Amino acid sequence: MISKITLYFASIFILLFNCKKESKEIIAIAYILEDKTCVYTEPTRKSECLVFLNKSATIDVIDKSIEDKRLGQQFHWRKVILEGKFGYLPVEGEVTFFQFATIAPVTRPYRMVVNASRIRLRNLPSLKGEVLELLPTGDQVMILGLSATRYQIDGISEVWARIKAPSDKIGFAFLGYLKSQETTVSSNEEVTEDEGETIQGFVEFKSSEPIVYLSPGGEKGYYSEDYCSKGVTENLGATLAKDLGKYYLVNRKILSRETNYYKIKKIHWYSSDNESMDTCISAWVSEKDVEYHRETFPSWNMEKNKDKFPEKFVRFANQEILDFEKTELIKLNFSESTKKQIYHAIIYYLTSDMAPLNPDEYILEETDNSFISLMSSKYEKFSFQDLNADGINEIIAVNDFRGSHTYEYFQISNSQAFKFLTIEYNDYESDENKCIAKLNLASGEKSISIKVNQNDDFSKICNHYTKEMKIGIYGHKIQYRLENGKLIL
């Protein structure tokens, strides 16, 4: 039998373990820019305020990207800690409402030069910050930290920097008014830029988790530069993320220990909650782990995949570099009355240096010589369902963003997409417990409001149903027939 003392010490161990597991190191500081800024108890706007902070207050940040408790990846939070208690600040409050600014320290401080007639050193990373002193053109400053997101000032998109002025005062300045010193040493100090052979082309990784090096045959890892060339980080021992793709441009080759190494570079662009950041990735890779191609990627890509899709589809899609491996062209089940085949296209593109982009979705009609777009990529996704049991699919176009849900219903007829129903609701921030349905009736448009009780599931109440070849909406008693893109009683 387990003694009480054993149970006591076991419980203490579990408590200490959980506390240690929950704790994290401080990675940034949030500077509060507006009075009464709420620090939430949970990563959801439905939670209570742990504390209200006023302008000029600061709070430690331990995680810059926490998914919303209800919305997941659609909404992100900064996880903070104040007097031993965890809280959350919405990223939207930073990038849209300017309630606070998150400043993360650079790995190694570096110098920049004032590139304006003069700039203001402020006590906060905001144009509303108090001016500490004026710095004239040519003054050298030390960069200590950078904001987690960019801002638009005088038509310039840049970050705020925490800097040390020649007077030793520490404050904030807009990085768009600073420039790098001409004598700045390359970030990859281990290997100078003139070493090895200058080459062109690209490499294709053989593994989904490629091994990369800080220098040819040296320590494993890669360099990442947030906002590209404004603060270099050595990611020691790390492998490249899968979402960066398997193709990389190369510009140099060097022989080390009887093995050729290629210098790879890529710009990775990240965007979430109106927050965006471009990161420059650079590293060295072994010829054993990649296949090197001398030709340009667009021409190689087109030649390799020329038979995967009809040429007329490639002409439609190839506004940029097409990712043939991920792109899909799916036939839809429409009747012969449409006379032409309808497709659901999910098109993936790559940037000029082969970084993956989010897909675009289309509803396409095939003609003799081309593909024509019936519905564009403004929707987040499409789903398909035979709503009136006539053997022909209808299309449901969906947009879900931060608790705001929009479902638009279409019928394809005579090479057109006719919208016959829209259902909208917000189950996150809105206090109005209702959804709105907009019906395109044969007699004209009609809008109805459907009440949703406090404990009801919005997704079930604000939805359609089908019965005996008719379409209805939960919470609305009337059912309709669907003909030629119109709802009929």
Side-chain angles (χ1 to χ4, degrees):
M1 184 176 178
I2 301 175
S3 67
K4 292 183 178 180
I5 295 177
T6 302
L7 289 173
Y8 171 78
F9 282 106
S11 63
I12 293 295
F13 174 79
I14 293 172
L15 179 62
L16 291 174
F17 175 79
N18 287 333
C19 289
K20 183 177 180 181
K21 184 177 180 181
E22 181 71 12
S23 63
K24 288 187 177 181
E25 64 176 327
I26 297 168
I27 61 171
I29 296 176
Y31 292 81
I32 306 303
L33 307 178
E34 295 288 342
D35 288 339
K36 296 182 180 180
T37 295
C38 172
V39 178
Y40 291 82
T41 55
E42 298 286 342
T44 169
R45 287 194 181 275
K46 294 292 186 180
S47 66
E48 298 178 351
C49 291
L50 173 69
V51 65
F52 288 97
L53 297 179
N54 289 328
K55 183 178 179 180
S56 298
T58 61
I59 189 168
D60 294 330
V61 179
I62 59 176
D63 197 320
K64 290 195 291 183
S65 186
I66 296 291
E67 291 185 6
D68 189 270
K69 192 173 183 179
R70 294 185 61 197
L71 300 180
Q73 296 183 357
Q74 296 182 33
F75 200 94
H76 286 81
W77 297 76
R78 313 282 193 218
K79 187 175 183 181
V80 299
I81 184 169
L82 180 66
E83 297 179 352
K85 294 182 179 180
F86 295 111
Y88 300 86
L89 290 169
V91 170
E92 183 183 45
E94 178 169 7
V95 301
T96 303
F97 302 115
F98 310 117
Q99 295 172 318
F100 66 95
T102 303
I103 305 292
V106 296
T107 306
R108 294 190 297 269
Y110 55 96
R111 295 187 183 278
M112 295 188 77
V113 178
V114 175
N115 191 34
S117 58
R118 64 178 183 177
I119 64 170
R120 295 172 177 85
L121 181 70
R122 299 179 182 274
N123 72 328
L124 289 172
S126 166
L127 293 178
K128 297 180 180 179
E130 176 187 339
V131 178
L132 302 178
E133 68 172 292
L134 298 176
L135 304 179
T137 183
D139 260 14
Q140 293 185 5
V141 299
M142 185 69 73
I143 305 299
L144 306 177
L146 300 171
S147 65
T149 191
R150 288 183 170 180
Y151 301 87
Q152 286 278 347
I153 298 178
D154 292 340
I156 304 172
S157 177
E158 258 300 354
V159 297
W160 280 91
R162 184 170 179 261
I163 67 173
K164 183 177 181 180
S167 64
D168 287 339
K169 286 185 180 179
I170 294 177
F172 300 90
F174 186 59
L175 202 67
Y177 301 137
L178 302 174
K179 68 176 181 178
S180 299
Q181 288 182 290
E182 294 180 0
T183 57
T184 300
V185 178
S186 168
S187 60
N188 291 3
E189 295 176 333
E190 291 81 356
V191 179
T192 60
E193 287 297 320
D194 57 355
E195 283 193 67
E197 174 189 354
T198 300
I199 60 173
Q200 294 180 341
F202 68 98
V203 293
E204 177 183 2
F205 278 105
K206 299 176 182 178
S207 168
S208 60
E209 296 183 353
I211 299 173
V212 292
Y213 303 89
L214 296 172
S215 60
E219 190 168 10
K220 294 179 181 179
Y222 63 92
Y223 291 96
S224 62
E225 306 175 45
D226 289 351
Y227 304 108
C228 292
S229 301
K230 297 180 174 66
V232 181
T233 299
E234 294 179 356
N235 297 278
L236 300 177
T239 57
L240 295 173
K242 292 180 180 179
D243 61 359
L244 292 174
K246 66 177 183 179
Y247 303 107
Y248 285 77
L249 292 175
V250 295
N251 61 359
R252 303 201 73 79
K253 181 176 72 172
I254 192 169
L255 184 65
S256 177
R257 299 175 187 175
E258 299 183 352
T259 299
N260 282 315
Y261 288 85
Y262 298 98
K263 178 70 174 295
I264 62 171
K265 290 186 176 183
K266 177 172 289 189
I267 298 177
H268 176 57
W269 187 77
Y270 165 84
S271 178
S272 174
D273 299 328
N274 295 325
E275 179 182 31
S276 63
M277 181 174 69
D278 50 353
T279 301
C280 285
I281 304 294
S282 62
W284 291 86
V285 297
S286 167
E287 63 182 348
K288 299 176 183 178
D289 299 319
V290 298
E291 183 177 351
Y292 170 62
H293 302 273
R294 288 184 177 86
E295 63 265 55
T296 64
F297 179 79
S299 61
W300 174 88
N301 185 46
M302 191 66 70
E303 179 64 25
K304 179 186 177 183
N305 299 286
K306 62 183 179 180
D307 297 327
K308 185 172 182 180
F309 297 108
E311 182 182 350
K312 55 188 175 182
F313 172 72
V314 175
R315 287 201 307 270
F316 170 85
N318 197 27
Q319 301 169 6
E320 301 179 49
I321 303 175
L322 191 63
D323 187 339
F324 284 91
E325 296 179 9
K326 292 183 179 179
T327 295
E328 299 179 68
L329 184 62
I330 307 163
K331 284 187 177 183
L332 297 180
N333 178 29
F334 287 95
S335 72
E336 295 182 357
S337 62
T338 60
K339 296 183 181 180
K340 297 173 182 176
Q341 180 61 50
I342 307 298
Y343 290 84
H344 176 209
I346 307 172
I347 304 176
Y348 287 83
Y349 294 107
L350 302 171
T351 64
S352 58
D353 59 351
M354 292 98 77
L357 296 170
N358 291 329
D360 290 337
E361 294 195 38
Y362 296 88
I363 303 300
L364 303 178
E365 179 185 80
E366 184 180 17
T367 68
D368 293 337
N369 300 312
S370 64
F371 279 84
I372 298 173
S373 175
L374 301 182
M375 297 180 65
S376 69
S377 60
K378 70 176 184 177
Y379 300 100
E380 184 178 331
K381 59 184 176 182
F382 295 108
S383 63
F384 310 93
Q385 188 176 345
D386 183 4
L387 298 176
N388 56 354
D390 64 351
I392 306 172
N393 281 330
E394 277 68 54
I395 300 171
I396 306 173
V398 181
N399 276 328
D400 289 333
F401 186 65
R402 299 182 185 176
S404 179
H405 308 270
T406 302
Y407 299 84
E408 298 183 6
Y409 296 71
F410 294 86
Q411 185 179 43
I412 301 294
S413 180
N414 297 322
S415 300
Q416 294 186 63
F418 295 95
K419 181 164 62 175
F420 59 87
L421 174 63
T422 301
I423 299 178
E424 300 174 325
Y425 66 93
N426 189 313
D427 62 353
Y428 187 59
E429 296 183 354
S430 176
D431 294 327
E432 298 181 3
N433 294 323
K434 64 180 181 181
C435 55
I436 303 297
K438 300 174 183 178
L439 297 81
N440 188 10
L441 304 175
S443 57
E445 294 184 357
K446 179 180 181 180
S447 180
I448 58 175
S449 176
I450 302 170
K451 183 178 179 181
V452 182
N453 295 322
Q454 187 72 26
N455 298 322
D456 287 340
D457 186 343
F458 270 85
S459 63
K460 293 181 178 179
I461 302 299
C462 303
N463 207 337
H464 74 275
Y465 68 90
T466 59
K467 184 178 180 182
E468 297 177 353
M469 300 182 68
K470 290 186 177 182
I471 302 170
I473 304 168
Y474 291 105
H476 181 60
K477 297 180 180 180
I478 304 175
Q479 298 175 11
Y480 303 88
R481 291 183 294 109
L482 175 61
E483 293 183 9
N484 299 321
K486 302 282 187 180
L487 294 175
I488 301 172
L489 288 171

